[in-house]
Amino acid sequence: TGFATALSQTPSISSISSEGREDLQVNRLETQIWIKPDIEKTDVDFSEILNAIQEIAKDVNIFFDELEGVNSPSKDDDSLLHHGNLTSTSDDASRLEVVGEEVPDKNKVNGLYFRDGKCRIDYILVYRKSNPQTEKREVFERNIRAEGLQMEKESSLTNSDIIFVKLHAPWEVLGKYAELMNVRMPFRRKIYYLHRRYKFMNRIEKQISRFRGWLPRKPMKLDKETLPDLEENDCYTAPFSQQRIHHFIIHNKDTFFNNATRSRIVHHILQRVKYEEGKNKIGLNRLLSNGSYEAAFPLHEGSYRSKNSIRTHGAENHRHLLYECWASWGVWYKYQPLDLVRRYFGEKIGLYFAWLGWYTGMLFPAAFIGLFVFLYGVTTLNHCQVSKEVCQATDIIMCPICDKYCPFMRLSDSCVYAKVTHLFDNGATVFFAVFMAVWATVFLEFWKRRRAVIAYDWDLIDWEEEEEEIRPQFEAKYSKKERMNPISGKPEPYQAFADKCSRLIVSASGIFFMICVVIAAVFGIVIYRVVTVSTFAAFKWALIRNNSQVATTGTAVCINFCIIMLLNVLYEKVALFLTNLEQPRTESEWENSFTLKMFLFQFVNLNSSTFYIAFFLGRFTGHPGAYLRLINRWRLEECHPSGCLIDLCMQMGIIMVLKQTWNNFMELGYPLIQNWWTRRKLRQEYGTQRKTSFPQWEKDYNLQPMNAYGLFDEYLEMILQFGFTTIFVAAFPLAPLLALLNNIIEIRLDAYKFVTQWRRPLASRAKDIGIWYGILEGIGILSVITNAFVIAVTSDFIPRLVYAYKYGPCAGQGEAGQKCMVGYVNASLSVFLVSDFENRSEPTSNGSEFSGSPLKYCRYRDYRDPPHSPVPYGYTLQFWHVLAARLAFIIVFEHLVFCIKHLISYLIPDLPKDLRDRMRREKYLIQEMMYEAELERLQKERKERKKNGKSYHNEWP
């Protein structure tokens, strides 16, 4: 009788147009009706009848859903609450029995759907019953239901005080807000045109393809059979429109909007729902900040592990697929599936990993050239005339490097350090510095092109950020003063110019003060180095006593690293305070201001000691008998007899390795330990079997939330590493290699963290990497200046060059080979009369252990006249030649490199030519397709009117 009644209410099949019948098609699983008609004895098309009956069932479901929304409770009570009953069925299931539809049992248990097994969970809100903000939550949830979102509540299995609010957006709500948000959706398959090629080119390509057949296949590419067919990448897209819904490719309305897009639409709704009377009492973020809700997040798509192999059974879900082909350590050498990352996490996170992958790929040539420079130093070590002379200088006695306790030493004792210095400071260093300056420019310019391609593929070319909401703190502070917004035309809080300037001045003063704190910390490290050299020189152990300067440098670097990490914690709090003091108007302004402050603090904190060693260590010490002192007490530290570059190398190597190791531990080790502790407590309380039966929202709630500052920490770590790689690369050519090895690990660490250790972040859109690109450009400019000074001031490249062309055996001949460096060591050392030592500087030993009698003279690194000259210890002519050559080199190097950088920036266009042509072609095709689709629809409507006997005069053709 129910079937007969439904059939009697069915509209005439002939009145249903072919286009309408296509809209009535549903999934095969949703049309399982217990009917066995005698097809041979009737001419009725039962497929049309079944489709019509299914449409009636849909209408019945919509009616009940609307009825439930009308009669739904408006209070925050337990009427929607189910105490962890994962297998109970809802009233929707009984309603669906009218048409005999089966509810998938799997969807009931996996924790991704409502209890009916049909409505997918798009968003999760978490609150505690004991929270006093009940009234705000009641109003908020009532308004959520008024917006059309469906809601279901579930109590936690581990804590009855925790309540999970499950939200689902029906098709009507998704379509409405997708149109408002201009969400681009696929509407036509792309047509690829092959360029016309000449026969000669075709023959060459055939020969190349034959040659490639003998080579192994590209191991770095992912298996195409493993990755799903991402339809939106093969289709033209357009902003979704309900009026033109027939233009879009809709196979299934439940999967037309992917999960990330559904969650983004629901979040967009939640940000605009009121929770209290008043114009500013709106949005989920405010409820999270005042504690009404404890957490809000979209769900992961099930477990990232599976009992079955992905090769034989396929991926269980996108999270499992990402884990196997992206976050697993076994695929560290393969390219990233960026389209899948973007589909699961959104464009903003996808762009970060695209930039990180591009940066890592560009590090390969830099690491190769840096390794070549290092190996060049290794191969030419035995032919280096300077290191040979240092190792053979057993008769040259150097003056003590500290007061009293430091002994006289032979120059040959620093043979090892001279050889190590040659590994980094050799003839290829200047070439490598120029290469790295050009590399930084090429990296940024080609990243522009790469970003343009990604923006085109991900439909970000025409995307513009929405008018941002004003921060609640800004509204609360300046709610009394209002003015009209020039964009929206609505009144909004206004900050006076004088108030804004005063706050910026106070903030800038705070930044300056914190930079002074960094300088004070560096000053403390300098005092430590000065004091410790004498202490280590009088140490009992011969190993430390003989290597007092290296031990001082090593311990100073480790202490400096500890100070850096401690000050970073302080800087974060200060940057947060100063940014809030400025009262930025929007979240993006707040984020940019905070980012700039944190980068300045951490950059100065990380590199201040390195700048001291590179440009100040040993430069202003005076000379024996007239040393410069701190507070007229401590003698300033001198460089090692083999030069200051070895100290700079140690500083960079230790800081870089320790910093990257610590960052990797904090990024992955800390969340792993926290999640392990949570799982341990759950196992102890509920056992292993009960834990595995937890629903997905419970599992995700027990994961760690994403950093409050989003991708800030990830970007900051890489930007600081980029600075280390480029700024002092002339002193440490292995820095790009260390950065490359770290980044290969970093990509998989971040992927593992996002997929397994963190809750799923909200998918958000972005066109580029934001303010970080400007910071990268600034670092690139700074790297040119610092490398010029490192080569000219820190290394011995310029003094050797001046000696070879002016004072050496080849002077005036235009040659500068190793034979021209004979005598360089002796020419670079000055003579000092031991009897001229100050009382507080005079060493305890008289040097009789070297020649059997007290020493009369010792040598030190400088270009000064001997003690018996008319002007004792005055600068020689060679000193002024070296100084002039250094200044000239800095000017020439900077201008040359900057010209090359600007030339490269000019020659490399931001958009590839083929991409520009594709964009123009696609724009033309989209206009043609939209016109043809609209014309086809009008022709169908005209035919239908003629068929039904309805015609109108004066119609447009």
Side-chain angles (χ1 to χ4, degrees), residues 54 57-69 80 82 88-104 108 113-120 149-153 166 168 170:
Q54 183 61 36
K58 281 183 169 182
D59 294 338
V60 173
N61 291 341
I62 294 172
F63 169 75
F64 276 109
D65 289 340
E66 293 176 352
L67 187 62
E68 182 183 2
L80 290 176
H82 299 267
S88 62
T89 57
S90 64
D91 296 335
D92 294 336
S94 60
R95 278 188 254 121
L96 294 174
E97 289 177 0
V98 176
V99 291
E101 185 175 357
E102 295 182 0
V103 178
K108 295 181 184 179
Y113 292 81
F114 279 17
R115 286 179 306 280
D116 61 1
K118 187 175 181 181
C119 297
R120 187 176 186 90
L149 296 180
Q150 297 178 10
M151 183 186 302
E152 195 174 72
K153 294 186 178 181
K166 300 175 284 185
H168 168 75

Side-chain angles (χ1 to χ4, degrees), residues 339-376:
D339 291 327
L340 193 60
V341 175
R342 171 246 182 170
R343 180 169 184 168
Y344 193 83
F345 292 110
E347 286 80 2
K348 194 170 186 177
I349 294 177
L351 271 173
Y352 163 71
F353 281 102
W355 176 84
L356 181 57
W358 183 257
Y359 171 46
T360 305
M362 289 292 291
L363 278 173
F364 273 96
F368 176 78
I369 299 297
L371 183 61
F372 169 78
V373 171
F374 179 77
L375 294 178
Y376 173 81

Side-chain angles (χ1 to χ4, degrees), residues 425 642-643 791 793-801 824 861 886:
D425 184 13
S642 60
I791 295 173
V793 177
T794 310
S795 73
D796 288 338
F797 175 76
I798 298 299
R800 292 177 186 178
L801 209 62
Y824 166 76
R861 283 174 57 91
R886 282 173 168 167

Side-chain angles (χ1 to χ4, degrees), residues 5 72 90 100 118 143 178 216 236 280 320 370 453 547 630 651 658 704 721 734 756 765 786 898 928 952:
T5 304
S72 59
S90 64
K118 187 175 181 181
N143 291 333
Y236 295 117
N280 298 330
H320 178 217
V453 174
N547 300 277
L630 287 174
Q651 173 81 12
L658 289 179
Q704 297 301 309
Q721 183 206 84
L734 293 180
T756 67
R765 294 170 71 83
T786 53
F898 278 131
E928 291 292 321
Y952 301 95

